[in-house]
Amino acid sequence: MINGAHVIIHSRDEEADRAFFRDVLEWPNVDAGGGWLIFALPPAELAVHPTDGPGAHELYLMCDDVDATVRDLTARGVEFTRPVTAAGWGRVTAFRLPGGGEVHLYEPRHARATDR
């Protein structure tokens, strides 16, 4: 039986991105050896979206109040790459990781599988 998921973020600067998740987001972690940090994730959900060809996977972090979270993370030096916009399923923005990657942040406005 599957009992979890492991998300991988590819980075041009893995040390900076690991420090971001450890120090800025303050996610619990363990050192798997040699400074290779493995982070505990908050509760998660998965959606399958249509595509015409091979698609890249995306990471969306969820929060209860996107405006408050943007203010908090901006105060911690996080660079947001998109303004908060409304979509039918929630309010969304994105921020840059130190290694150059982009992560989305959204406040869901849809039913959540964890609400059942």
Side-chain angles (χ1 to χ4, degrees):
M1 174 162 201
I2 295 172
N3 64 5
H6 184 90
V7 176
I8 297 172
I9 294 178
H10 295 273
S11 175
R12 288 185 224 132
D13 188 347
E14 68 280 359
E15 291 301 320
D17 286 348
R18 289 175 186 149
F20 175 84
F21 285 101
R22 182 192 62 220
D23 301 335
V24 176
L25 297 186
E26 300 177 340
W27 284 5
N29 63 83
V30 296
D31 189 326
W36 197 281
L37 301 181
I38 305 293
F39 294 91
L41 291 174
E45 55 189 38
L46 177 128
V48 178
H49 291 244
T51 185
D52 291 331
H57 302 294
E58 300 174 76
L59 176 61
Y60 281 73
L61 300 177
M62 296 182 292
C63 62
D64 292 329
D65 181 336
V66 72
D67 296 314
T69 304
V70 166
R71 283 191 303 273
D72 178 55
L73 292 177
T74 299
R76 297 179 192 205
V78 175
E79 173 196 352
F80 281 83
T81 58
R82 300 177 191 194
V84 174
T85 58
W89 43 268
R91 298 182 65 233
V92 65
T93 184
F95 60 86
R96 178 97 36 229
L97 292 174
E102 187 176 72
V103 174
H104 300 272
L105 173 70
Y106 87 104
E107 175 186 330
R109 297 273 170 95
H110 58 77
R112 307 243 334 250
T114 55
D115 294 340
R116 297 187 289 131

